[in-house]
Amino acid sequence: MTDEAGRDQEAVSKFVESFAAQLVEAGMQRMPARVFAALLSSDDGAMTSIELGEQLRISPAAVSGAVRYLAQTHMVSREREPGSRRERYVVHGDQWYEALTNREALIKRWEGALREGVSSLGADTPAGRRMAETLAFFEFVEGEVSAMMERWRVHRETRFGGAA
């Protein structure tokens, strides 16, 4: 069976489940991984709860929980359908950038907690040195991620233009 774009729906379904399995293996919860893969594979990158439920054969509650997780991690957003009270769930072309950028804020908070830990434990104690090394690691990662994100912006503009 094919969809309106002429794609084999079974092949699309296999891709969604395969990619979702890869996301699960990387640490994402199973249902959010399936919902994200389904949204990512849709032409307009947007689906309603009903559409997601039908495609994935899951309950509205499962869709709701998955979307809540994905919205909290900035991987999808909720938008109202024009002229309707119904929400659509949207994955944007820059979702990976947004997700990583939001992780940067988390790393900054961890750095603050680690600095406090070094101070509380004493920089000359074994625990304090371990804490300081962990802090140095996150400071290094933060700098590398910032530089990488800037390179990505330039690369993306060159390859895809300004539009998401």
Side-chain angles (χ1 to χ4, degrees):
M1 194 151 105
T2 60
D3 63 13
E4 54 277 349
R7 285 182 294 252
D8 179 345
Q9 288 179 336
E10 187 175 327
V12 171
S13 181
K14 281 182 181 180
F15 163 77
V16 166
E17 296 304 326
S18 173
F19 187 59
Q22 295 297 314
L23 293 171
V24 168
E25 193 172 308
M28 187 182 280
Q29 298 170 9
R30 182 173 178 269
M31 204 54 66
R34 292 181 71 216
V35 168
F36 181 74
L39 286 168
L40 192 62
S41 67
S42 69
D43 277 343
D44 61 0
M47 298 173 82
T48 65
S49 180
I50 292 170
E51 292 167 335
L52 284 164
E54 288 174 356
Q55 179 177 335
L56 299 172
R57 296 184 184 103
I58 59 176
S59 71
V63 171
S64 178
V67 168
R68 184 173 33 258
Y69 171 86
L70 292 167
Q72 288 172 347
T73 58
H74 305 279
M75 302 226 19
V76 302
S77 60
R78 299 170 191 249
E79 296 178 359
R80 288 262 183 231
E81 280 192 334
S84 170
R85 292 178 45 189
R86 198 168 22 166
E87 286 186 328
R88 310 177 331 140
Y89 307 112
V90 181
V91 64
H92 298 282
D94 63 351
Q95 77 277 351
W96 298 112
Y97 177 88
E98 289 298 322
L100 222 77
T101 298
N102 286 297
R103 293 285 189 247
E104 270 187 290
L106 179 62
I107 289 172
K108 279 225 176 276
R109 290 197 306 270
W110 288 350
E111 287 174 3
L114 289 164
R115 276 188 197 87
E116 186 177 313
V118 170
S119 177
S120 298
L121 296 166
D124 295 332
T125 66
R129 282 192 297 277
R130 196 170 40 254
M131 202 71 56
E133 186 175 339
T134 303
L135 171 59
F137 172 78
F138 282 117
E139 289 170 338
F140 175 81
V141 166
E142 180 190 0
E144 291 298 306
V145 168
S146 294
M148 179 183 65
M149 298 306 267
E150 182 55 36
R151 288 191 311 273
W152 166 248
R153 282 189 288 273
V154 170
H155 177 77
R156 181 174 184 239
E157 178 68 30
T158 301
R159 185 158 181 196
F160 299 104

